[in-house]
Amino acid sequence: MLISEVSKKFELSQDTLRYYERIGLIPRVNRNKSGIRDYTEEDCRWVEHIKCMRGVGLPVETLTEYVQLYQQGDETIDARKQLLIKQREELSKRMKEMESVLGRMDDKIARYDQTIVK
């Protein structure tokens, strides 16, 4: 799959895909005989995974570390799991904070509704 197709499929710019590859956020993508990136299904799964994890705010550095560990093989399974557990805890904490803020916003909106004469 060409970079333009992957870009469209995942709604990421081609520059973003190149950047992700350059910094090791996704494993290096193979190139065809003409030197053009040729994304496999495996590459696309990485792009999808990274997009999802970035979408919830996981740091680039953490995700890069995860990819590096993955590339080292099965001896890093426990380290990868621990990394994900830690990130899950951080995400859960942020979600609780966001729920609290959402509740405050709902209360504020309700007060506006009570003071507006219709």
Side-chain angles (χ1 to χ4, degrees), residues 44-117:
C44 288
R45 283 192 292 275
W46 274 108
V47 171
E48 182 178 34
H49 175 71
I50 295 302
K51 181 179 178 184
C52 175
M53 296 296 115
R54 289 292 300 136
V56 296
L58 268 66
V60 168
E61 297 80 14
T62 300
L63 293 170
T64 302
E65 180 183 355
Y66 180 86
V67 173
Q68 289 171 350
L69 288 169
Y70 178 84
Q71 291 174 327
Q72 291 173 27
D74 287 348
E75 65 272 6
T76 66
I77 287 174
D78 190 55
R80 285 182 269 155
K81 180 182 175 185
Q82 293 307 313
L83 190 144
L84 291 175
I85 288 170
K86 181 180 177 191
Q87 290 306 307
R88 186 188 186 290
E89 290 168 355
E90 291 293 321
L91 179 58
S92 180
K93 180 180 172 185
R94 285 198 323 266
M95 288 174 64
K96 288 175 185 171
E97 292 168 355
M98 292 174 77
E99 287 173 359
S100 174
V101 172
L102 184 60
R104 290 184 71 167
M105 290 178 82
D106 288 343
D107 290 345
K108 186 65 120 175
I109 291 168
R111 279 191 232 124
Y112 277 108
D113 287 342
Q114 292 170 359
T115 60
I116 296 174
V117 178

Side-chain angles (χ1 to χ4, degrees), residues 8-71:
K8 187 174 185 176
K9 178 177 181 175
F10 294 104
E11 298 178 341
L12 294 168
S13 72
Q14 292 180 33
D15 286 339
T16 297
L17 291 168
R18 288 185 199 99
Y19 172 72
Y20 282 180
E21 183 181 354
R22 186 173 63 250
I23 65 168
L25 206 52
I26 59 174
R28 184 153 301 287
V29 176
N30 289 323
R31 295 174 183 256
N32 64 20
K33 291 179 182 179
S34 301
I36 297 170
R37 285 176 176 83
D38 187 14
Y39 287 79
T40 64
E41 286 302 313
E42 173 81 7
D43 296 327
C44 288
R45 283 192 292 275
W46 274 108
V47 171
E48 182 178 34
H49 175 71
I50 295 302
K51 181 179 178 184
C52 175
M53 296 296 115
R54 289 292 300 136
V56 296
L58 268 66
V60 168
E61 297 80 14
T62 300
L63 293 170
T64 302
E65 180 183 355
Y66 180 86
V67 173
Q68 289 171 350
L69 288 169
Y70 178 84
Q71 291 174 327

